[in-house]
Amino acid sequence: MTLPGRNDPCHCGSGKKYKNCHLAPDREAAGGRAEAERARQARLEALGHPADAEMRDLYQGLTGRALPAGPIPDQARASIVDTWRQRRLNEQGLAKLDRERKKWEKHFGGQPDAFDAVAMELGRDPFFDRFVLTNANRRKVRLKLGIPPRDDPAKLRAYAAEAVALTLDEADRTGFKDALLSRVPDLVDAGRMKEAYVVAVCAERATDPAAPISIFLVDVITRSM
């Protein structure tokens, strides 16, 4: 979100100048986010890094290509280490979540609407705004499926499921799964186990074309179109 100037009307619609309304709370919130990100980076760095042989295996698994012989280029090394660390952090978060998984399975059992309500609330997180279809895939969906039926949730979900099948390959699905799982550690650390469970289940479904489409992927399609 682009924030207004100090003397501009506040973004909340109160009619007050920004400096007399939400300036201080917004600065406090931004400071909190910055502190949380610093703590996250420190946790990632504390995980260390993989051996070169593991880096090569991970790179090939991610890209389908082998790294050239010789020293691993610095840019590739940094990217591989970041991915490796994030996956280790995800595993730690999932391990903590597993202690309560049965509780939340029972809680949501037979309540798909309750599950979707939590996912929809999480989907408002700006983190998810970065995920959209490419222009080429957007055109492919428009040509085959037309525009999304936004006024009918059931039809929109069916439309999104068809659009995902049309545009996302296995690598796309795996990337989206990893992105969802990257939210789990923060939710677990904040004690938001219900939300962490919903994200973890949606991440598991992301790589299974036969699984029900998640609200997160419905949002990606809706936002893209």
Side-chain angles (χ1 to χ4, degrees):
M1 180 174 67
T2 301
L3 296 176
R6 290 174 56 84
N7 292 310
D8 292 336
C10 186
H11 56 74
C12 72
S14 65
K16 298 179 181 179
K17 290 185 177 180
Y18 181 50
K19 65 182 179 183
N20 296 326
C21 196
H22 272 83
L23 174 61
D26 284 349
R27 283 182 172 173
E28 184 177 351
R33 288 192 295 271
E35 182 58 35
E37 182 58 26
R38 283 193 290 271
R40 180 184 183 82
Q41 289 302 317
R43 288 176 65 191
L44 288 169
E45 290 174 11
L47 293 170
H49 57 80
D52 280 13
E54 189 175 356
M55 286 193 200
R56 291 180 178 278
D57 288 343
L58 179 56
Y59 182 87
Q60 186 153 9
L62 290 169
T63 67
R65 304 189 305 274
L67 281 165
I72 299 174
D74 289 344
Q75 186 173 0
R77 180 181 293 273
S79 178
I80 296 166
V81 169
D82 284 348
T83 300
W84 182 87
R85 285 174 174 172
Q86 185 60 61
R87 287 187 173 183
R88 300 290 84 73
L89 194 62
N90 294 351
E91 289 168 2
Q92 291 177 7
L94 289 171
K96 294 176 182 177
L97 175 61
D98 280 344
R99 299 168 198 163
E100 296 193 17
R101 182 174 282 265
K102 288 184 179 179
K103 168 186 172 182
W104 295 112
E105 286 175 353
K106 183 177 180 180
H107 175 81
F108 286 115
Q111 298 186 74
D113 289 346
F115 184 95
D116 284 353
V118 174
M120 288 176 70
E121 183 64 31
L122 286 166
R124 297 189 180 101
D125 185 329
F127 168 81
F128 293 103
D129 288 346
R130 73 184 73 175
F131 299 104
V132 292
L133 296 179
T134 63
N135 287 334
N137 278 334
R138 198 175 294 132
R139 286 194 295 272
K140 187 187 296 184
V141 173
R142 283 202 184 115
L143 284 171
K144 187 171 180 63
L145 304 179
I147 61 173
R150 300 171 191 270
D151 58 342
D152 186 322
K155 289 183 179 178
L156 176 58
R157 185 183 285 269
Y159 174 100
E162 199 170 347
V164 166
L166 186 66
T167 60
L168 301 189
D169 60 20
E170 184 178 353
D172 294 325
R173 287 174 174 272
T174 299
F176 193 69
K177 173 184 177 180
D178 287 346
L180 285 177
L181 288 178
S182 73
R183 309 306 291 165
V184 170
D186 291 340
L187 291 168
V188 168
D189 289 346
R192 299 172 65 187
M193 293 298 191
K194 176 170 66 176
E195 291 90 342
Y197 171 79
V198 168
V199 172
V201 170
C202 289
E204 291 162 7
R205 292 176 180 172
T207 52
D208 181 2
I213 188 169
S214 73
I215 288 295
F216 299 108
L217 277 173
V218 173
D219 281 350
V220 169
I221 299 302
T222 307
R223 184 164 52 250
S224 298
M225 303 307 293

